[in-house]
Amino acid sequence: MPDRKACLQTRCACQTGAAANQRRITMAKDIITASVDAVIIGAGMSGMYMTKRLTDMGLKIQGFEAGGDVGGTWYWNRYPGARVDLESFDYSFSFDNDLQQEWNWTERYAAQPEILSYLSHVADRYDLRPHFKFNTRVNSAKFDDATGRWTVTTEEGDTVDAQFLISAVGVLSKPKPPEIDGLEDFKGKWYHTGQWPHEPVDFTGLRVAQIGTGSSGIQVTPIVAQQASHLTVFQRTPVYCVPTDNYKLTEELLNEVKATYPERRAISRENRYGIPAEFPTTKAFEVSEEERRAKYESAWGEKGHLLAFRMTYADVLADEAANKTVADFLAEKIRSIVKDPEIAERLIPRTYPFGTKRPCLSIAFYEAFNRDNVSLVSLYETPIKRITEKGILLENGEEMEFDAMIFATGYDALTGAILKLNVEGRGGRKLTDKWKDGPQAYMGIATSEFPNLFMLTGPLSPGPLNNMAVSIEQHVEWVADCIQYMRDNDIAVIEAQPGPEREWFDHVQELVGNTLYLKANSWYLGANVPGKPRVFIPYLGGAGGYRAKLDEVSENDYRGFTKTPAKVDA
Ligand code: NAP
């Protein structure tokens, strides 16, 4: 009989682990009516670690998760080619040295199944699953002014009352529909990268359309190109891709990483992007052209990683001329890889500075366009009119026939998933109303009029501009410490104050004003979602800078928060 833990870790074909999960899920179908200390919404990395911290402190938790198991992003994103684009061992939990010493990453950039196995292992190791009800979507959360508690309900009919409401819903978890008319008419199959089926999808011999070329799309292209009879990639805005130097991790390298974990983690917590590297102080034009070029070659080459170009010179994201030196170098690389000069020119970004839309790490994305069975349609030149029964009708009247379509069209990022929860704060105030002109969140973690609500990696915090693992651990630990402080000081309710909240918003916007970020129509700005207010959402102060500011709040008795004591019985 295979070992259940091993099966959960490896997702082996025997399905022992899957069957065990299924049993758990079946049991969890019972309707829950309960009173707990905290409701945690989401069993991705942040919800899992939050559950561990709060249960360690003795709190009673009820977790809800829309997916069938833990994993969040890595549970849903099973599309071909899905893999992390930061080094696996840095994109992992650091809170328990035993955990980081015992887990052996196999690749520099782990693929989705390996990351999901890791998270499954974490869930088993700390026995987190029993705190969650899976396959259950929260559909409302209301704060009661009289009791100072939250009532959370789910689509399944659960009702749970809690002192704390913790959103761990993730920043890229509400998939964005394609916004193209006629999808319902299409007779073939279609898929969104963020909601990929659990069973493998075989595109062998099919005519496939792929729409979208962001971080998800560029991972899909080379893999589907190997299967499809023909793949047509519909590109709206070209992206900058850097090649992935992925490799198997040797025992020697892993041992070296493990031995140096304390230093790696300490540097990552202070680095601008949450990785173990020094941020440069030299500006691009302070060195010769030859020196710059050598640095760019090294960033492109075997030492390259997702953030390498953003960390070549201090002013790459602040000075247009400096930025152009990177953009020109990358355009040259695209021209050198893609054999057809017209296709190469279409793939070169021209409408925004390098790095102001998230760059991508690719395994042979550009190379895929050298295949005979891959073609590129630029939606700038040839827009789509609508989807039809047979495929895609272009504005120029041409109808292209497809057997399957892949939408890699991204997410209603940073605010979409939390707004979907229908949260109501003091006096029935709706979060959707409060944020109709953009999110307001003190330190990116709490919002006034919504007491005892914590938003892990919430809007106006650095979130996805950093290594998410670093952002998540920081927020979880801060929230756990805050709740401990409340318990130690008999505080029942904590609530962000509107003044400091407004100042934080202004500070976030002031920082972005010193950069080139506002020159791109990015999801950082909400520009990818029609009708979404244009507000720059992530905090640009860096992992270390943000940590210092958040620590300052807690070290000063949670400055900027109003604290209401628990009622003392007469
Ligand atoms: P994305 O970066 O928002 O890319 C979506 C793509 O779809 C863009 O090319 C976009 O064009 C296009 N698109 C959207 N709506 C469209 C429409 N109606 N018609 C035509 N094209 C349309 O989304 P994503 O690729 O899923 O990535 C989102 C984020 O998730 C990434 O930036 C990254 O932070 C994270 N991610 C990370 C990894 C990783 O670690 N390896 C992998 C995947 C995703 P426009 O640019 O013109 O809007």
Side-chain angles (χ1 to χ4, degrees):
M1 178 74 179
D3 172 61
R4 188 179 70 80
K5 278 196 176 178
C7 289
L8 283 171
Q9 185 171 328
T10 57
R11 305 249 156 214
C12 75
C14 78
Q15 293 293 299
T16 307
N21 277 339
Q22 194 53 47
R23 273 198 303 281
R24 227 180 344 247
I25 290 158
T26 311
M27 281 166 57
K29 276 290 170 199
D30 303 334
I31 299 299
I32 298 172
T33 312
S35 187
V36 297
D37 294 309
V39 164
I40 296 176
I41 308 174
M45 279 180 94
S46 57
M48 288 168 70
Y49 183 33
M50 193 77 252
T51 302
K52 167 161 173 37
R53 286 302 290 244
L54 294 188
T55 50
D56 282 354
M57 284 161 55
L59 270 73
K60 192 172 172 205
I61 300 303
Q62 178 59 55
F64 291 111
E65 165 57 56
D69 198 359
V70 297
T73 285
W74 301 102
Y75 174 87
W76 296 104
N77 281 261
R78 296 166 189 248
Y79 61 82
R83 85 178 46 242
V84 66
D85 58 13
L86 291 176
E87 288 173 311
S88 318
F89 34 78
D90 294 325
Y91 182 84
S92 62
F93 287 121
S94 73
F95 64 79
D96 181 342
N97 191 43
D98 290 345
L99 171 65
Q100 64 187 12
Q101 294 299 329
E102 79 198 11
W103 186 263
N104 294 317
W105 292 104
T106 67
E107 287 184 272
R108 184 182 184 199
Y109 298 103
Q112 175 270 338
E114 183 171 0
I115 303 169
L116 191 57
S117 296
Y118 166 73
L119 295 175
S120 186
H121 167 73
V122 173
D124 280 340
R125 197 180 198 290
Y126 306 106
D127 205 16
L128 302 177
R129 285 191 180 88
H131 300 288
F132 278 90
K133 185 174 179 192
F134 294 98
N135 294 314
T136 306
R137 193 173 280 283
V138 168
N139 61 4
S140 88
K142 291 186 177 152
F143 182 75
D144 183 332
D145 291 273
T147 60
R149 292 176 70 85
W150 287 92
T151 302
V152 178
T153 63
T154 73
E155 285 176 357
E156 309 290 306
D158 309 287
T159 306
V160 177
D161 146 278
Q163 183 182 8
F164 298 104
L165 175 63
I166 301 179
S167 161
V169 294
V171 293
L172 291 152
S173 48
K174 184 184 173 203
K176 193 177 81 80
E179 300 137 5
I180 304 170
D181 289 342
L183 183 55
E184 63 287 356
D185 297 337
F186 181 56
K187 292 280 185 249
K189 293 204 165 143
W190 65 270
Y191 309 88
H192 191 290
T193 47
Q195 282 178 328
W196 203 262
H198 284 211
E199 60 283 0
V201 181
D202 186 7
F203 292 102
T204 304
L206 302 185
R207 296 162 303 171
V208 181
Q210 176 194 322
I211 296 161
T213 53
S215 302
S216 306
I218 63 103
Q219 292 185 323
V220 165
T221 303
I223 310 282
V224 174
Q226 288 168 23
Q227 301 173 0
S229 65
H230 195 92
L231 171 66
T232 308
V233 177
F234 291 84
Q235 168 191 265
R236 192 159 67 184
T237 313
V239 283
Y240 288 99
C241 293
V242 179
T244 312
D245 182 28
N246 191 29
Y247 43 77
K248 295 272 175 217
L249 297 173
T250 59
E251 200 180 331
E252 191 188 354
L253 203 146
L254 262 183
N255 287 341
E256 192 187 313
V257 168
K258 287 181 183 183
T260 54
Y261 256 136
E263 298 92 288
R264 291 188 83 83
R265 303 298 199 181
I267 301 170
S268 300
R269 286 183 197 115
E270 296 306 321
N271 167 270
R272 176 170 302 203
Y273 296 115
I275 59 168
E278 294 300 325
F279 192 78
T281 49
T282 309
K283 293 182 174 173
F285 292 108
E286 287 173 354
V287 301
S288 69
E289 198 180 333
E290 293 69 39
E291 193 178 323
R292 235 177 6 250
R293 189 161 182 99
K295 180 155 260 183
Y296 293 163
E297 284 292 355
S298 153
W300 176 268
E302 63 185 41
K303 294 218 164 51
H305 57 82
L306 179 67
L307 294 152
F309 279 93
R310 278 174 273 180
M311 293 182 49
T312 46
Y313 294 103
D315 53 349
V316 164
L317 288 174
D319 178 80
E320 286 204 54
N323 188 284
K324 190 167 179 311
T325 62
V326 174
D328 288 348
F329 177 88
L330 294 174
E332 220 181 277
K333 287 291 182 194
I334 296 170
R335 289 189 186 102
S336 74
I337 299 171
V338 179
K339 292 189 181 131
D340 181 327
E342 275 183 31
I343 297 178
E345 292 309 311
R346 280 195 200 114
L347 287 166
I348 294 172
R350 294 172 209 280
T351 54
Y352 62 95
F354 164 79
T356 54
K357 276 168 90 82
R358 190 181 185 273
C360 307
L361 198 62
S362 93
I363 298 184
F365 171 67
Y366 296 128
E367 288 82 347
F369 293 94
N370 292 334
R371 295 174 65 105
D372 291 339
N373 70 333
V374 177
S375 49
L376 178 70
V377 175
S378 163
L379 294 175
Y380 287 153
E381 296 165 23
T382 335
I384 293 175
K385 185 163 187 189
R386 59 174 290 121
I387 293 170
T388 64
E389 198 176 300
K390 292 182 186 161
I392 290 180
L393 178 64
L394 300 173
E395 287 284 0
N396 65 11
E398 184 190 350
E399 186 174 14
M400 304 177 78
E401 294 190 12
F402 295 107
D403 304 305
M405 290 189 199
I406 297 171
F407 294 99
T409 43
Y411 298 87
D412 180 352
L414 305 161
T415 54
I418 185 166
L419 287 176
K420 216 173 136 190
L421 298 174
N422 297 315
V423 184
E424 289 182 23
R426 284 198 187 282
R429 175 81 152 135
K430 289 183 165 45
L431 193 60
T432 43
D433 287 341
K434 178 173 176 182
W435 286 5
K436 70 180 178 347
D437 297 323
Q440 297 288 335
Y442 179 48
M443 304 306 297
I445 203 165
T447 186
S448 62
E449 301 178 90
F450 296 80
N452 288 2
L453 163 66
F454 295 108
M455 299 173 290
L456 302 178
T457 67
L460 310 178
S461 77
L465 281 180
N466 290 348
N467 176 349
M468 276 302 280
V470 172
S471 294
I472 285 168
E473 285 197 329
Q474 185 201 0
H475 265 193
V476 166
E477 286 159 14
W478 193 90
V479 169
D481 288 349
C482 178
I483 290 175
Q484 189 59 54
Y485 170 90
M486 290 172 72
R487 300 215 141 185
D488 293 346
N489 292 281
D490 282 333
I491 296 165
V493 176
I494 194 160
E495 180 179 354
Q497 295 164 354
E501 182 171 292
R502 169 53 63 180
E503 281 165 27
W504 181 252
F505 179 85
D506 291 345
H507 173 57
V508 174
Q509 303 311 313
E510 182 194 337
L511 287 195
V512 74
N514 301 329
T515 71
L516 303 173
Y517 275 99
L518 296 178
K519 292 184 180 288
N521 288 326
S522 66
W523 56 256
Y524 300 141
L525 253 179
N528 64 330
V529 177
K532 190 164 173 173
R534 279 209 176 203
V535 170
F536 194 83
I537 306 178
Y539 178 61
L540 281 172
Y546 176 69
R547 183 175 299 275
K549 288 201 179 290
L550 199 55
D551 286 351
E552 230 179 273
V553 169
S554 44
E555 281 157 14
N556 287 283
D557 282 329
Y558 295 86
R559 191 175 61 201
F561 284 93
T562 300
K563 290 147 279 185
T564 309
K567 285 199 184 90
V568 182
D569 292 334

